[in-house]
Structure formats: structure tokens, C-alpha cells
Amino acid sequence: KKKKTKKKKKNETKGFVIAGLHSGESPEYRERIIREVTAVIPDEKPLVSTSKGTPLSVLHEVSLGVDIFESQYPEMLTRMGHASCFALSPKADEPSRPSKLNLWDPKYKVDKSPIVPGCSCYTCQTHTKAYLHHLLNTHEMLAQVLLQLHNVYHYQRFFVHIRSAVRKGQFEAYRAAFESAFE
């Protein structure tokens, strides 16, 4: 790997990709690979991770030096009929909330609230959990469209918060608060 990296440096590589992780290896092995790669690539070149991209794995990989993520996480949630709802900027005094909602659950049959109160996405602004539950149960394609809109929006907002914390030099504090609130 080191020889290939040195050879690519000469070719003015725009960035580097770590692919194939999150496929059954241990977290320790995954961390070792990322550390080895970040040790030999130039700091000014972006490092891209193609992984499942769960919020906790994203935070961990950012702490190891990963800059960009290509993730299936929002789509994976959508396929399962789940909506992402983890706290984007958790506070110590806030009650914890689940990281995702299973909108197949019958308890949402009459729930007239949005997926995430205060969310600005189209889905949360115009539809309720009850309506999404109905769409899922009647196998309407609109269920996946609306869930995907929300899940991608929520995931993008997560990255806005990460970038803000990094810029302010508060990433480790953000990560600790997020991990303690994540269910």
C-alpha cells in the first residue's frame, strides 16, 4: 500500500479512497487500516470513505482523518421503513431520543406529528408519521420517496454540524455529546 501511495503522489492524485471496510472486519482492524492510510497520504489531499456511514462510525472516522463520506446509511434506513431522528446537536439537559423510528410500527397509525419536530425538510413540513405509516402499509412508492427526502436531509444536516464543530475546534466535544445521546 505504501509503495502504491508513493507512486500515486507523483501522479498528482486529487485524493484517496478507502473502500471495502465495514464488511465484517473488527472495529480495531478497521481503525488500524484507516490510521495506516492517513499516515502515508498528504494532509492536503482528501480521504474518502465508502462505508455504511452510520452516525457513530462517521464521527469515529472523522476523528481518524477521513474527510468525505460516500454512504448508504440514509438509503438503508429508507428501505427498512425507518426515519432518521437522532439529535443533531445534543445538549446535556435534553432527554435522549431514539436514533431512528420504525414507521411500520402500529403506534404511528394515528400519530399526527412530523418525524422530527422542527425539521425543515419537505416531508416533516407537509406529512405526519401516521401518513407515512399508512403509505408503508399500503406499499405506496411515495413512502420511500418521502422517507428518502427526510433521511438524506437529516444526514446532510448532521454533516453541517460536524463541519461547524471542526471549524470551531470543538469536534471532540461534539462527538462526546453526540455519542452519549445516541441510542
Side-chain angles (χ1 to χ4, degrees), residues 29-44:
Y29 179 76
R30 183 170 44 250
E31 181 173 334
R32 192 180 100 224
I33 294 297
I34 294 171
R35 286 187 189 281
E36 287 177 9
V37 170
T38 56
V40 297
I41 65 171
D43 288 339
E44 67 275 4

Side-chain angles (χ1 to χ4, degrees), residues 90-152:
K91 308 283 187 265
D93 58 342
E94 282 182 338
S96 66
R97 63 183 192 204
S99 62
K100 60 189 173 206
L101 301 176
N102 178 357
L103 292 170
W104 287 99
D105 192 319
K107 72 181 177 183
Y108 297 116
K109 187 174 185 175
V110 294
D111 189 333
K112 303 287 187 196
S113 65
I115 297 168
V116 176
C119 177
S120 299
C121 80
Y122 174 79
T123 303
C124 288
Q125 292 295 305
T126 57
H127 302 291
T128 66
K129 292 175 198 162
Y131 183 61
L132 292 165
H133 172 80
H134 162 74
L135 292 174
L136 285 168
N137 281 285
T138 57
H139 305 284
E140 289 286 344
M141 187 171 39
L142 184 57
Q144 279 71 36
V145 171
L146 293 172
L147 278 174
Q148 187 73 353
L149 284 171
H150 169 76
N151 288 333
V152 168

Side-chain angles (χ1 to χ4, degrees), residues 4-22:
K4 286 181 182 179
T5 303
K6 288 178 184 176
K7 188 175 183 179
K8 285 184 179 187
K9 283 182 192 177
K10 293 177 187 174
N11 296 333
E12 288 302 313
T13 302
K14 302 292 183 204
F16 297 88
V17 176
I18 296 179
L21 296 179
H22 296 273

